[in-house]
Amino acid sequence: MDVLLDNLSLFREGFWGTLKLTASSALVAVLAGVIIAGFRVSPVPPLRIFGTLWVTLLRNTPLTLLFLVAFFVVPKVLYPDLDSFLLATLACGFYTSAFVAEAVRSGINTVPLGQAEAARAIGLSFAQTMRLIVLPQATRTVVPPLSSIFIALTKNTAIAGAFDNVELFNISKTLSNEGYDIVMIFVWITIAYLIITYAINGLFRLLEHRLEVAR
């Protein structure tokens, strides 16, 4: 208990850092994932090819490698003074977007094809059909797998601690260097991760229940 009480402010900072990284990366993942899913089912061949390459490349690339590219390649190519939090958010967000895209694409495939054809028959564009007809119905199917994806994202943010970001796993190194019992450090960090992941799971269960009622 002394590990927690003596370093409460540090644990709070790490907990808040993990929350911020998870939330910002999830936002990037959802926005990019929905767009890429649209590309994957687009009638335009170049967009389909781009979406396929995006998903295939990112799903089969280790996240640590993406962090190395983000922190050591991107600043040299784009801008040298990019914030470490932004780089970590982009690395986690783009990586997770590939999994979000596949979940969304699977949800899109559950919507009867006739509805999209009917939308086109009344003059709606592909973008309008996706936004107004397909995606609202696909959301019910997409919610359950997104819960697992974002729980995995929460744990993936631990890699950011090795790249100048303060988060839960990062503070374990600080406390370990100060001589605290490593077992108790990991116990409290595990509890903190469980709080976040259980909150995400509960939020998505509530959302899933509300969508089921709406059906």
Side-chain angles (χ1 to χ4, degrees), residues 43-162:
V44 182
L47 293 181
R48 288 202 307 272
I49 293 172
F50 179 84
T52 301
L53 289 175
W54 180 281
V55 170
T56 302
L57 180 64
L58 291 178
R59 288 186 70 182
N60 293 284
T61 301
L63 180 55
T64 304
L65 179 58
L66 291 182
F67 266 91
L68 291 173
V69 171
F71 278 83
F72 297 107
V73 177
V74 172
K76 292 182 179 180
V77 175
L78 296 180
Y79 186 70
D81 296 324
L82 290 174
D83 181 66
S84 62
F85 178 82
L86 174 61
L87 292 173
T89 296
L90 293 177
C92 285
F94 285 161
Y95 177 78
T96 307
S97 71
F99 297 90
V100 172
E102 284 300 274
V104 173
R105 186 176 69 89
S106 297
I108 291 173
N109 289 336
T110 64
V111 179
L113 183 61
Q115 297 200 24
E117 294 175 345
R120 287 195 294 269
I122 62 174
L124 294 182
S125 66
F126 174 77
Q128 290 174 323
T129 300
M130 291 293 294
R131 181 170 56 87
L132 300 175
I133 307 298
V134 177
L135 286 178
Q137 297 181 71
T139 301
R140 299 188 181 103
T141 308
V142 170
V143 167
L146 284 185
S147 175
S148 298
I149 290 171
F150 289 140
I151 287 174
L153 168 62
T154 303
K155 293 178 284 187
N156 286 339
T157 59
I159 300 177

